[in-house]
Amino acid sequence: MSRVSVPCHVKGTVALQVGDVRTSQGRPGVLVIDVTFPSVAPFELQEIMFKNYYTAFLTIRVRQHTSTHTPAKWVTCLRDYCLMPDPHSEEGAQEPGEEAPWLIAGWLLGSELGPRWVLVRMCQMLCDMGKVLELRLILRQPSPLWLSFTVEELQIYQQGPKSPSMTFPKWLSHPVPCEQPAPLLEGLPDPSRVSSEVQQMWALTEMIRASHTSTRIGRFDVDGCYDLNLLSYT
C-alpha cells in the first residue's frame, strides 16, 4: 500500500509540571505536543513515524470531524504505548535492546531508516482513524533520572492514491471452452464411418487390380490348339 506524507505544523511542547518547581526534583513528567494540519482536509491517518528520545510511554489522541451540526470530538487512539521497557535504564531510550517484544512492529531495525525510528501503524490504534483534524501526543517519563525527553522528526502519513486496476478483454478473462463438433443432422450417416468404408473399398479395388493378368485369352484355342467342332460353328 502506498503512503503520502501529510504536511503538518508541530506546536511547541507544553509541560505538565509534577512536584515542586523550586527544586531539582520538580522536572516535568508529562509533555504534550499538538499537531495541526492547516492545509489539509480531514484525512485518514495511516502511520505515525518519529525518533524517540528518552520517552517511556506514548499516548495519542485525535480530534475527528463528525458531522456539520456537531462539533469535532477528541478520541484516544493509542494509550500508554511502551517505548522503554524500564524507564530507569537506557534500554529503549534511543535504540531498542536485543529483545523488545513490548514494541508492536515499532522499531524499523536493519532498514534504511535506521534503528532510532519508531513506526506506529493504523492497525495498532484503538479507534477508527478517519476524518482526522488534529493530533495530540502525550509523552510520559516517570523516572527523574533524565534531564529531558521528547520525540523528534515527527512525520504523519495518509494512504496514497490507489494504483489503477488493469482491465483485460472479456475473451481473455473468460476464455471460451473448447468448441464441440456440431451435432449430426438426423438421417445422415456418420462421416467417420463412411470414410472408413470408402478406404476399405479402395483397398479391395487395388488388390483386384494387382491380381489381374495381362495375358490375352483366345476365343477358340484350348492349350494352343483349336477344336474343329468349335470352328465349324463359326
Side-chain angles (χ1 to χ4, degrees):
M1 179 185 296
S2 62
R3 61 178 188 174
V4 177
S5 177
V6 181
C8 61
H9 173 65
V10 181
K11 298 182 179 180
T13 57
V14 177
L16 302 182
Q17 197 73 27
V18 178
D20 189 357
V21 297
R22 294 171 296 180
T23 65
S24 59
Q25 298 298 326
R27 299 191 185 98
V30 180
L31 297 179
V32 178
I33 302 176
D34 284 340
V35 183
T36 59
F37 310 95
S39 60
V40 180
F43 66 98
E44 183 180 26
L45 191 148
Q46 292 287 327
E47 295 175 352
I48 301 174
M49 194 161 58
F50 57 87
K51 290 182 178 180
N52 185 35
Y53 185 79
Y54 288 91
T55 299
F57 302 97
L58 171 66
T59 296
I60 301 178
R61 290 173 59 85
V62 293
R63 190 166 69 93
Q64 294 176 310
H65 176 75
T66 53
S67 65
T68 307
H69 305 287
T70 58
K73 61 179 181 179
W74 285 94
V75 181
T76 300
C77 59
L78 190 67
R79 189 185 303 275
D80 293 334
Y81 184 71
C82 183
L83 300 176
M84 296 175 62
D86 182 6
H88 302 286
S89 67
E90 288 276 354
E91 184 180 2
Q94 298 183 67
E95 297 184 3
E98 295 181 358
E99 297 181 0
W102 34 271
L103 277 180
I104 310 173
W107 293 95
L108 302 179
L109 288 172
S111 70
E112 68 279 3
L113 297 177
R116 288 189 58 196
W117 285 98
V118 178
L119 178 65
V120 181
R121 301 182 183 275
M122 183 178 63
C123 59
Q124 299 170 241
M125 303 299 183
L126 303 176
C127 64
D128 179 47
M129 298 303 294
K131 300 181 179 181
V132 173
L133 295 172
E134 192 174 349
L135 193 68
R136 176 169 293 170
L137 306 181
I138 303 174
L139 318 179
R140 288 200 303 117
Q141 177 51 268
S143 176
L145 299 178
W146 319 117
L147 295 177
S148 62
F149 62 95
T150 187
V151 294
E152 303 170 341
E153 301 185 34
L154 181 65
Q155 300 179 21
I156 311 296
Y157 292 94
Q158 66 176 337
Q159 182 178 353
K162 296 181 180 180
S163 57
S165 58
M166 299 181 63
T167 58
F168 297 94
K170 185 177 180 180
W171 62 268
L172 185 59
S173 57
H174 301 282
V176 180
C178 296
E179 294 184 358
Q180 300 294 332
L184 297 176
L185 296 178
E186 186 176 358
L188 293 181
D190 187 2
S192 59
R193 181 179 178 183
V194 172
S195 175
S196 176
E197 293 179 354
V198 170
Q199 290 180 1
Q200 293 179 6
M201 293 177 63
W202 176 83
L204 290 174
T205 303
E206 291 296 321
M207 292 175 59
I208 294 174
R209 181 180 299 176
S211 62
H212 182 68
T213 178
S214 58
T215 306
R216 186 176 181 277
I217 299 177
R219 184 177 179 186
F220 301 109
D221 57 320
V222 178
D223 294 333
C225 301
Y226 292 93
D227 188 350
L228 295 178
N229 294 327
L230 294 177
L231 295 174
S232 63
Y233 292 101
T234 60

